[in-house]
Amino acid sequence: MMNAMTDQTLVIALTKGRILDEVLPLLAQAGVMPTEDLNKSRKLIFDSNLPNVRLMVIRGSDVPTYVELGSADIGIAGKDMILEYGSRGFYEPLDLKIARCRLMTAAPVGATLDAPRLRVASKFVNVAKQYFSEQGRQVDIIKLNGALELAPIMGLSDCIVDIVDTGNTLRANGLEPREMIAEVSTRVIVNRASMKIKHALVQSLLTRLERAVG
Ligand code: PRP
């Protein structure tokens, strides 16, 4: 079994999709390049030009898990995924300032949200629970995995908690942004043990990434 703790190699867990396209140029500037096109392969783990660095490509929601449990030393994940994961079991030393957006509540245009128990649809159930509990509002959270904007239209929920970038998806579905929950951007997270045991390797990569961010 592979154990990222015992050797001096770095495993970096990357978030697939939009974040990957924006992260690869930053990684290249930091001197790390996959040896093959990540988008053209069905493989999930890749070698890089550096003999001691390997790259995994996984769902953003799985990146914190791999990093906290130490099967990846470093992770690249959206702050939304980190907040939803909810643990402080890793370091978060660097903001890559890409894939910026906001976690917000949204509701049908003009709707008054005065039900005693709001029905909130989201894939960010932990974020939603925590936010409404801080507001002192009673809510029922409905877990969905995508196309959240449909939920209020179809009467499944009163409002949603979702990522808003341009706001086009909300507008196209008769919804409007309401309350801001958190600013989101892509972060670098580091396993706690790796930060100690592989300090020089990790620190050197962080420094080069920081320079690439500018
Ligand atoms: C996100 C989010 C919204 C949309 C917001 O979805 O869930 O649907 O982007 O962007 P906008 O404000 O610019 O319209 P994404 O495309 O990441 O896919 P998802 O449905 O898998 O979350």
Side-chain angles (χ1 to χ4, degrees):
M1 199 180 81
M2 256 179 329
N3 187 341
M5 301 295 176
T6 52
D7 58 359
Q8 284 297 317
T9 63
L10 279 187
V11 176
I12 307 178
L14 304 174
T15 293
K16 70 178 177 187
R18 228 180 317 185
I19 291 180
L20 184 62
D21 298 335
E22 291 191 52
V23 156
L24 287 176
L26 284 178
L27 273 176
Q29 277 186 65
V32 181
M33 278 156 285
T35 50
E36 60 189 291
D37 187 339
L38 304 190
N39 287 313
K40 287 205 180 118
S41 175
R42 300 292 296 169
K43 275 167 58 176
L44 301 169
I45 180 126
F46 298 86
D47 289 326
S48 79
N49 60 316
L50 304 178
N52 57 351
V53 176
R54 294 198 305 155
L55 305 169
M56 291 169 44
V57 181
I58 56 178
R59 275 171 173 255
S61 51
D62 290 334
V63 170
T65 309
Y66 269 92
V67 173
E68 174 160 29
L69 300 180
S71 294
D73 302 287
I74 293 181
I76 309 283
K79 184 69 178 175
D80 51 341
M81 296 304 168
I82 297 170
L83 288 171
E84 179 62 18
Y85 186 70
S87 148
R88 305 176 64 92
F90 41 72
Y91 298 108
E92 191 190 309
L94 186 59
D95 184 350
L96 295 178
K97 299 181 180 164
I98 55 173
R100 285 172 185 263
C101 51
R102 284 147 286 148
L103 262 172
M104 299 194 72
T105 67
V109 174
T112 46
L113 301 177
D114 49 10
R117 277 188 87 85
L118 268 190
R119 294 168 306 150
V120 182
S122 189
K123 57 183 172 189
F124 303 99
V125 293
N126 296 326
V127 169
K129 259 185 214 148
Q130 193 187 334
Y131 176 74
F132 285 103
S133 123
E134 281 165 7
Q135 306 290 310
R137 294 206 67 168
Q138 301 273 354
V139 293
D140 290 317
I141 308 280
I142 301 160
K143 161 87 180 178
L144 291 177
N145 294 300
L148 303 178
E149 295 81 4
L150 264 178
I153 299 173
M154 300 311 291
L156 185 68
S157 75
D158 301 303
C159 63
I160 62 174
V161 167
D162 199 10
I163 292 296
V164 181
D165 178 14
T166 60
N168 288 340
T169 312
L170 292 182
R171 266 191 298 279
N173 291 290
L175 306 182
E176 61 187 4
R178 291 284 175 95
E179 292 154 41
M180 165 85 160
I181 300 178
E183 295 275 2
V184 172
S185 58
T186 305
R187 309 296 166 92
V188 179
I189 58 176
V190 180
N191 174 267
R192 283 179 181 274
S194 304
M195 189 69 115
K196 288 202 193 82
I197 298 163
K198 305 180 184 182
H199 189 260
L201 264 180
V202 171
Q203 201 48 57
S204 136
L205 180 66
L206 287 174
T207 305
R208 283 178 283 138
L209 274 175
E210 201 169 356
R211 272 195 218 116
V213 174

